[in-house]
Amino acid sequence: MSVDLKNVWYVAAMSGEVAEKPFSRTICGTPVALYRSASGALAAVHDRCPHRFVPLSMGSVKGEALVCGYHGLAFAADGACVENPQGAVTKSLTIRSFTVQERYGLIWIWMGDADLAALTPIPDFSLIDDAALRPQWGYIHSKAHFELMTDNILDLSHIEFLHAGTLGTEKIRDAKTASVVEGRTVFSHRTVDDEILTPFLDRSFETGGRPVTRTLSVRWDPPGLMLLTVAVNPAGPEQALRETYNMHFMTPETATTAHYFWVGTRRYGPDDPERDRLFRAGLENAFLTEDKPMIEAQQRSLGSAELLDLGPALFKGDAAAIQARRILDEMRRAEAAASRPAS
Ligand code: FES
Ligand SMILES: [Fe+2]
C-alpha cells in the first residue's frame, strides 16, 4: 500500500461538524481531535493523551485549552501541555498539532511540515461560497483507498453501466474524450452529443426529453480534490446552457478506507428548495447505492495490493486517472527523499 502524502491539503471535515465539543476523525492513519476554542479559534491535535493514551476528543474545551477527560491534562492548540493537575508541566507532555484552515465551508488539514503549508494554496473551490448556487452537501465513509475513488471520477465511462438509468446512457461510449496535465493539475473532458438524458437528469436539467449535448469536465488536484462541471445544452431553438458543479474531496482514513465529502451546486432553474432536495437525493443515491458498493468490492478484491502492481488492462478512458496516480507517486518519492536524513 502506498504511503500517504503529508505535505498536501486534505479535507478533514465540513465546517458544521466541528464545534466546541471535540470531534474525532482519523486522517492518514492518525486520529485527530478537531475543536473550536472559546475564542472560536480552530485547532487540530493528535487525538491521544500522552498519559494513558485515551482519545482527547473524549475531554472538553475549557477556554483556549483542550482538557483530557481522564486525569485533566490540558493542552494548547499548538500541542503544548499547559496544565497538569498530577504534577509538573513538562515538554515531554507535548502532543502533535496540525495546521488547519477553514475555507469553502470545509476544514482543511495539513498533516506534514507546517512551514510548507503556507507555501501551498488550496485549489479554488469558491463556487461553494456562492449561495446563489444553492450548495448541497454530503459525506460518505468508504471502505476503499481514496485513489480508487478518484479513479472513479476521473474515468466517467463507468456512468453508462454503473449508473445506467440514473446518471448514464448508452451514448456515453461515443463521447469524445481528452485529458490534459498542467503542472500538477489533471483535466479530463468528455463530450456526449445527441443524448437523451435519463429521467432523473432530464427532470433535473429541465431538458423536456429533447436530445442534448452534455460535457463532463473534471479538474483534479492532489491528493484527491476534484471539481466536476457538467454542462447540458439542449438542441432546438431554446439553447440555454445548464451547468452543475460537483466537488468531490477524498481523504485517506487508513490504507483501505477513506472519507468522501461532496458538494453539488447548480447554476440554472428556480430557487426551489424541493428541487434542491431532489437534486441532492439523486446524487447521493448514485454515490451511495451505485459507486460505493462497487468501489468497496474493488478494494476487497484488491486486498492489500496496489492496483497498478497487478498489471490492470488499461483503456483510453483511464489516461487521466493514470496521470493523477503518476503525479501522486512522484510527490511521494519527493517527500520520502526530503525526509531521509542526509548520509
Ligand atoms: S489519560 Fe489523559 S490525563 Fe490521564
Ligand atoms: Fe460514479
Side-chain angles (χ1 to χ4, degrees):
M1 271 292 155
S2 54
V3 174
D4 289 321
L5 285 163
K6 296 280 186 286
N7 292 316
V8 286
W9 287 110
Y10 290 107
V11 172
M14 295 180 282
S15 286
E17 290 182 299
V18 179
E20 202 171 301
K21 180 167 167 24
F23 173 82
S24 184
R25 182 159 278 154
T26 295
I27 295 164
C28 302
T30 301
V32 176
L34 294 147
Y35 62 95
R36 295 179 199 271
S37 70
S39 68
L42 189 64
V45 295
H46 192 188
D47 192 13
R48 201 169 72 168
C49 182
H51 179 218
R52 288 289 178 263
F53 306 116
V54 303
L56 287 168
S57 54
M58 291 179 75
S60 57
V61 172
K62 298 240 160 59
E64 295 307 295
L66 175 61
V67 181
C68 179
Y70 205 178
H71 314 96
L73 279 181
F75 302 90
D78 66 358
C81 180
V82 290
E83 198 187 329
N84 178 5
Q86 320 284 329
V89 169
T90 61
K91 264 235 150 67
S92 65
L93 294 174
T94 303
I95 54 172
R96 284 172 69 197
S97 67
F98 305 97
T99 301
V100 275
Q101 227 189 97
E102 194 158 16
R103 200 120 186 240
Y104 311 131
L106 298 162
I107 292 169
W108 302 76
I109 192 163
W110 186 271
M111 302 298 286
D113 180 348
D115 291 339
L116 296 176
L119 305 173
T120 311
I122 292 171
D124 183 3
F125 289 101
S126 51
L127 285 161
I128 298 174
D129 289 338
D130 187 345
L133 301 184
R134 296 166 290 260
Q136 306 297 311
W137 297 76
Y139 166 82
I140 295 171
H141 181 264
S142 185
K143 294 193 190 79
H145 189 265
F146 84 98
E147 277 177 87
L148 300 181
M149 296 154 72
T150 54
D151 288 346
N152 176 56
I153 305 282
L154 281 167
D155 177 14
L156 292 173
S157 65
H158 79 271
I159 68 175
E160 175 179 348
F161 305 97
L162 192 56
H163 303 299
T166 53
L167 305 178
T169 70
E170 283 181 10
K171 277 282 180 185
I172 294 294
R173 70 183 63 187
D174 300 326
K176 295 190 269 299
T177 61
S179 64
V180 180
V181 181
E182 282 176 25
R184 284 180 172 170
T185 304
V186 176
F187 296 91
S188 160
H189 301 285
R190 188 172 294 272
T191 303
V192 193
D193 286 319
D194 208 21
E195 183 186 22
I196 309 257
L197 296 175
T198 63
F200 163 65
L201 292 178
D202 182 56
R203 259 194 318 276
S204 182
F205 284 103
E206 300 178 324
T207 46
R210 285 167 293 167
V212 303
T213 295
R214 175 160 62 142
T215 60
L216 302 122
S217 307
V218 182
R219 183 194 78 195
W220 170 94
D221 283 289
L225 312 176
M226 317 177 84
L227 166 63
L228 163 59
T229 302
V230 181
V232 165
N233 207 349
E238 192 253 311
Q239 285 210 328
L241 187 69
R242 295 105 156 102
E243 278 189 327
T244 61
Y245 311 99
N246 297 298
M247 272 86 31
H248 304 264
F249 308 101
M250 283 81 167
T251 301
E253 179 186 49
T254 68
T256 54
T257 59
H259 306 290
Y260 175 19
F261 306 89
W262 62 267
V263 187
T265 66
R266 62 182 167 91
R267 195 192 288 287
Y268 62 90
D271 193 356
D272 176 359
E274 176 58 11
R275 245 185 92 164
D276 293 337
R277 197 189 63 73
L278 290 173
F279 174 60
R280 187 189 179 288
L283 289 178
E284 185 162 65
N285 173 58
F287 300 158
L288 262 181
T289 69
E290 295 170 348
D291 289 302
K292 179 179 155 83
M294 183 61 85
I295 296 170
E296 290 184 341
Q298 180 188 19
Q299 180 67 68
R300 288 195 296 278
S301 172
L302 284 168
S304 59
E306 277 291 328
L307 180 86
L308 293 183
D309 290 349
L310 298 184
L314 292 174
F315 306 123
K316 198 163 151 263
D318 294 307
I322 296 293
Q323 282 156 339
R325 282 174 171 271
R326 279 206 191 115
I327 290 169
L328 291 182
D329 281 342
E330 270 169 37
M331 291 173 72
R332 285 187 187 106
R333 274 194 294 276
E335 215 169 80
S339 65
R340 258 195 300 275
S343 53

